[in-house]
Amino acid sequence: MAMAYSCSSATSFLFLSIILFLSLVSFTFATTSTDTISAQHSLTGNQTITSGGGTFVLGFFTPQGSGGNYYYVGIWYGKISVLTPAWVANRVTPVTDPTTSELKISDDGNLVLLHQFKSIIWSTNVTTISSSNSTVAVILDNGNLQLRDGSNSSLVFWQSFDHPTETYLPGAKFGFNKITKRSQQLTSWKNKVDPSPGIFTFEMGPNGLLQYLILWNMSRIYWASGLWDGYEFSSVPVGYMYHMQLVNDTDEMYITYMLDIANHSMYREVLDYDTGQIQGLVWMENSKSWMLIWAQPTSKCSVYGVCGPFGSCTDFTSPFCYCVKGFRIKSQTDWDLGDRSQGCERKTGLQCSGLNNSVDSEKDGFFEMTNVRLPDSPNTLSTAGSREGCELSCLRNCSCNAYSYNDSGCFVWHRGLLNLQEQYNQSDAGTLYLRLAASELQSSESNKRMATHISVGVIVPAVVVCLFIIGGLVWKRERKRAIQNSKVVQNSLVSFMYDELRIATKNFSEKLGAGGFGSVFKGSLPGSIDIAVKKLEGLYQGEKQFRAEVSTLGAIQHVNLIRLIGFCSQGTKKLLAYEFMPSGSLADHLFRSNLNVLDWKTRYQIAIGTARGLAYLHEQCRDNIIHCDIKPENILLDDALVPKVADFGLAKLVGRNFSKVLTTIRGSRGYIAPEWISGMPITTKVDVYSYGMMLFEIISGKRNLMYTGESSFEFFPLVATNKLVIGDVKSLLDQRLEGKANSEEFEIACKLACWCIQDNESSRPTMSQIVQALEGNLDVGIPPVPRSLQVLNESWAESINSSSSHQN
Ligand SMILES: *[C@@H]1O[C@H](CO)[C@@H](O)[C@H](O)[C@H]1NC(C)=O
Ligand SMILES: *[C@@H]1O[C@H](CO)[C@@H](O)[C@H](O)[C@H]1NC(C)=O
Ligand SMILES: *[C@@H]1O[C@H](CO)[C@@H](O)[C@H](O)[C@H]1NC(C)=O
Ligand SMILES: *[C@@H]1O[C@H](CO)[C@@H](O)[C@H](O)[C@H]1NC(C)=O
Ligand SMILES: *[C@@H]1O[C@H](CO)[C@@H](O)[C@H](O)[C@H]1NC(C)=O
Ligand SMILES: *[C@@H]1O[C@H](CO)[C@@H](O)[C@H](O)[C@H]1NC(C)=O
Ligand SMILES: *[C@@H]1O[C@H](CO)[C@@H](O)[C@H](O)[C@H]1NC(C)=O
Ligand SMILES: *[C@@H]1O[C@H](CO)[C@@H](O)[C@H](O)[C@H]1NC(C)=O
Ligand SMILES: *[C@@H]1O[C@H](CO)[C@@H](O)[C@H](O)[C@H]1NC(C)=O
Ligand SMILES: *[C@@H]1O[C@H](CO)[C@@H](O)[C@H](O)[C@H]1NC(C)=O
Ligand SMILES: *[C@@H]1O[C@H](CO)[C@@H](O)[C@H](O)[C@H]1NC(C)=O
């Protein structure tokens, strides 16, 4: 077990940790309190009620570290030593003395909080209580507080799961009430000790779109989950044990989640006041702390304004916020509590007196910050025709804090600069001139003077430059009507008009499929060239995906990569046209029973072809490209069943000189490498991991994770690696093949698949080694069982034992 624990802390791997937690947690508790508040039984002072299983407690609490001046009614975890609130009633109206406060059932049946035993400072405020003299409030073992009829527990008038604060618990709803038009919302705490609503909110997207969003100040979206695809949200990876379900009935539409086999009572998701991320946390009894398992967005710096005015963000150091040059933390106390809304203030005030400063400009000056993410919503000054003119305009106005000058003109900022990030190596980086008092500038005066008019491109490193160049070529290319001679010109992308593609697809009538990003339609161009047209849909995601596809796929060609024929970018309409693949996807052939079973030879050729395509992406083309979403759905087959890797919407370009890239976790459930889930920078080895998972599915002809009934299932890679170790692989072959497979090839495939899914990325082979091995030119040794699978193995045995003992 000690081994297993150290393994987990190194990887922070979702399912692993949950399972570990299972085997590590052990509790003893004794309680005499009930779980119910009724007309006869109210709460005051240090009285509490406890849920049936003892998991949750309701009562008055004061946040840890707050000094004990303010008390809140809340729900917290009952069996752990660290006070962890999961819900707070009176977020904005704390009481100072719980002994004179009372939580009771009022005469109208509502649950109310009374101050000095008389004035109501919080209420469930329901007007539809039908049996007012007999309601009770009951705390359930999943953390839900229900106000319901005392004699009929299915008559629920109000429940805390409908009104979450900053925590989303397993089994809780998160969605939209179609009748009240109200949507659940998480709002972060203001800071570590103050539960009142902070600046970040997590909610379901508008217009009935099933998509989670996180917003700053209720207005600025800085993260979106991608659309619900019936299984999960397209850009939120879920581990194997995590299971989400959509409920869509006449009253409500919501998502709930469960952890499939683990005992999930000690797992929670929280919108963090400090980082603005939504985080998944699991209680580790060994270290008596909550362990962070995942967080979205992965990069704290993509959280809007996370460092406050005049603060800058850095993902690679801790703390991740600091003040820009010439500024200092405004309120150290708030900052230390994780509330940076006041941000930073000037160390030295500006000399600007409000008079005519144009001649007297020696007093204040500007500090040049190259390569920064510029703050939003500047004022545009159309009159300034040069950088010097722009600078002068800023100097003349005492409230001007900074300016920026680029091809589009002169931009000035008057308020606090929010959302700054230095060393921002992205294509939208710019140069900001920050106004500072002369004394703040003196130290660095000499080297600043030289550095004017440096173009952004010089500083931005190779990664972005490449993206830029490839992107630029594509965007600026003249519209070529190259399709006329019934020939699609090789090596050149066609820029289509929307109407051309609309006509080609007969008004988008023949739908081939749909995914998280949009739908795919069949079409044909003049000269009977069949195409597949992808129409990108969905808030916020489409543009990025579109650019990723065009800039990666547009620039490469390989027989095992799908060919992009052209694109259309007309306003918000974004479409991509590919060569049409008549035989569908590998997933269709493997998992759908109505198609002919692929024979072993074909499967092996598909495995080799896919590996060749990926090896080309990873190693041979001009930039290294990580596909980031390898799965059977994304391997398309032409009429000769030659595989083509498709769907480059998540692909990442990695410059030659960089081997790692930090990127938001995307990818698909079951194919995501552990290092990516734990938020580390990724390499091409994430594709190798996904390829390994897919290879297992090619071998077995089944999904890796097969539910075989109520909370029991088989995880094929686990079965396979165990058989591999004892040298019995024959039974792993898809039964539909009736043993008809080249046994040498079969063994190579099994071993390789297991090598590909090693926890440690450096243990995984490269894609070109995989090609060589599959071609028989490289010997493949017996792989070790990945440690994450070993642990899974043990806990599986345990969970099977415990569930069978339940039945007895
Ligand atoms: C609860 O408060 C009472 C006094 O109001 C005190 O005597 C008692 O020890 C407290 N109980 C606990 C568990 O703190
Ligand atoms: C209760 O709801 C009514 C309207 O439904 C609202 O006006 C009132 O402010 C609410 N009271 C409390 C204490 O929330
Ligand atoms: C509830 O009120 C009804 C009449 O409104 C009364 O008949 C009944 O006895 C009351 N029940 C309790 C438990 O007080
Ligand atoms: C309890 O309430 C539910 C929902 O309103 C109702 O369908 C059911 O008949 C009630 N049961 C009893 C025993 O009154
Ligand atoms: C948040 O938005 C409100 C109004 O929408 C605005 O008054 C307030 O200044 C904003 N907060 C910050 C920190 O900008
Ligand atoms: C939910 O149900 C409504 C009506 O039954 C339907 O129109 C809507 O498309 C459904 N939404 C989803 C996401 O399934
Ligand atoms: C989950 O674990 C807790 C703590 O060990 C235990 O009290 C509870 O009964 C468990 N729940 C289930 C469903 O096994
Ligand atoms: C400000 O300076 C300009 C020349 O730059 C001059 O014409 C103007 O009179 C000055 N205004 C004041 C109030 O000094
Ligand atoms: C400075 O700029 C602000 C914002 O644009 C404007 O309201 C103000 O009038 C300007 N002050 C002067 C002296 O031009
Ligand atoms: C110039 O800077 C402004 C303000 O940040 C930005 O909106 C605009 O896109 C930039 N234009 C160019 C051509 O970089
Ligand atoms: C951004 O570029 C600078 C200079 O090229 C480099 O020092 C820095 O490490 C880069 N930062 C990231 C996050 O790649």
Side-chain angles (χ1 to χ4, degrees), residues 86-122:
W87 181 78
V88 181
N90 53 329
R91 293 185 80 162
V92 288
T93 50
V95 296
T96 48
D97 182 6
T99 58
T100 60
S101 306
E102 186 179 21
L103 186 65
K104 63 173 283 191
I105 301 290
S106 70
D107 295 342
D108 66 359
N110 274 299
L111 182 67
V112 297
L113 175 60
L114 297 181
H115 174 56
Q116 305 285 359
F117 296 114
K118 44 180 197 282
S119 56
I120 296 182
I121 57 169
W122 177 85

Side-chain angles (χ1 to χ4, degrees), residues 273-286:
Y273 58 86
D274 183 30
T275 61
Q277 294 167 313
I278 182 92
Q279 302 180 333
L281 301 150
V282 112
W283 176 255
M284 302 302 295
E285 186 60 22
N286 252 18

Side-chain angles (χ1 to χ4, degrees), residues 5 21 25 80-82 84 266 268 281-292:
Y5 178 68
F21 138 78
V25 175
I80 63 175
S81 48
V82 177
T84 310
M266 302 308 282
R268 64 196 173 110
L281 301 150
V282 112
W283 176 255
M284 302 302 295
E285 186 60 22
N286 252 18
S287 57
K288 300 260 186 288
S289 64
W290 290 94
M291 185 170 82
L292 181 65

Side-chain angles (χ1 to χ4, degrees), residues 572-738:
T572 57
K573 297 195 178 79
K574 301 269 187 287
L575 298 97
L576 296 159
Y578 308 88
E579 57 180 326
F580 176 68
M581 289 290 121
S583 304
S585 77
L586 176 58
D588 296 338
H589 287 268
L590 288 179
F591 310 133
R592 280 227 212 129
S593 49
N594 56 351
L595 287 174
N596 283 340
V597 177
L598 290 178
D599 62 24
W600 175 256
K601 190 157 168 269
T602 311
R603 292 187 200 202
Y604 203 71
Q605 286 310 315
I606 290 172
I608 295 185
T610 307
R612 285 194 187 118
L614 284 173
Y616 178 79
L617 278 184
H618 288 176
E619 296 155 35
Q620 283 145 29
C621 64
R622 195 174 28 167
D623 301 285
N624 299 342
I625 296 167
I626 311 179
H627 181 280
C628 294
D629 199 12
I630 293 300
K631 57 179 175 181
E633 283 75 5
N634 287 343
I635 308 301
L636 302 183
L637 304 174
D638 71 7
D639 43 14
L641 298 179
V642 172
K644 313 251 181 185
V645 179
D647 206 335
F648 283 67
L650 304 183
K652 276 280 163 192
L653 276 180
V654 190
R656 277 265 170 226
N657 303 328
F658 297 79
S659 57
K660 297 196 167 210
V661 56
L662 188 69
T663 179
T664 322
I665 314 174
R666 301 274 195 81
S668 301
R669 177 179 163 117
Y671 303 90
I672 308 162
E675 69 270 16
W676 202 4
I677 291 184
S678 63
M680 318 253 279
I682 57 163
T683 66
T684 50
K685 294 292 180 66
V686 299
D687 282 349
V688 173
Y689 185 93
S690 311
Y691 177 85
M693 284 295 180
M694 184 175 84
L695 195 50
F696 277 123
E697 296 182 331
I698 292 177
I699 290 167
S700 70
K702 295 181 299 202
R703 294 274 184 201
N704 280 336
L705 189 67
M706 292 287 288
Y707 289 84
T708 53
E710 182 82 9
S711 71
S712 86
F713 46 86
E714 182 188 282
F715 188 52
F716 183 74
L718 174 63
V719 177
T721 46
N722 283 332
K723 298 246 165 155
L724 209 51
V725 170
I726 57 169
D728 165 31
V729 291
K730 282 209 183 71
S731 59
L732 298 174
L733 182 65
D734 188 346
Q735 289 181 354
R736 294 174 296 177
L737 294 180
E738 294 163 342

Side-chain angles (χ1 to χ4, degrees), residues 696 720-721 724-725 747-748 750-758 763 780-786:
F696 277 123
T721 46
L724 209 51
V725 170
E747 197 172 324
I748 291 173
C750 290
K751 286 186 201 160
L752 263 184
C754 185
W755 277 112
C756 290
I757 63 160
Q758 294 292 314
S763 311
V780 188
I782 298 283
V785 177

Side-chain angles (χ1 to χ4, degrees), residues 120-127:
I120 296 182
I121 57 169
W122 177 85
S123 163
T124 50
N125 207 12
V126 190
T127 52

Side-chain angles (χ1 to χ4, degrees), residues 40 131-134:
Q40 292 76 38
S131 49
S132 61
N133 61 358
S134 68

